[in-house]
Amino acid sequence: GTPVELGCEAEGRPPPLLSWFRGVTVLREEPVSTSLRLVLPRVEPDHAGTYSCVAENRHGRHNRSLQLHVA
């Protein structure tokens, strides 16, 4: 039931589209930004899973994933 904040930063030219995913579901997107926060206000066991931040522009796509475990 406590909040969790996930952060993601990326730079590029042109500036990337940053997106947070859980599986294939887009949770949040921000075009032309260097950082994007994902706030989960009250984490419950069903929030557990893999979260990915994707930075994408016309030159390519880069991502990082993390596994959230909830006790």
Side-chain angles (χ1 to χ4, degrees):
T2 60
V4 170
E5 181 178 316
L6 307 177
C8 181
E9 295 183 12
E11 294 182 11
R13 288 211 167 112
L17 166 68
L18 292 178
S19 306
W20 271 108
F21 290 84
R22 183 174 178 207
V24 297
T25 304
V26 177
L27 302 175
R28 184 151 188 237
E29 285 189 325
E30 187 69 40
V32 193
S33 178
T34 59
S35 66
L36 182 62
R37 295 181 327 146
L38 178 65
V39 178
L40 305 173
R42 295 193 64 196
V43 175
E44 302 294 337
D46 63 333
H47 288 113
T50 302
Y51 291 79
S52 301
C53 179
V54 177
E56 184 172 15
N57 67 15
R58 69 175 180 242
H59 299 294
R61 175 181 173 123
H62 191 74
N63 72 304
R64 290 278 191 243
S65 297
L66 62 92
Q67 187 71 33
L68 179 65
H69 298 276
V70 180

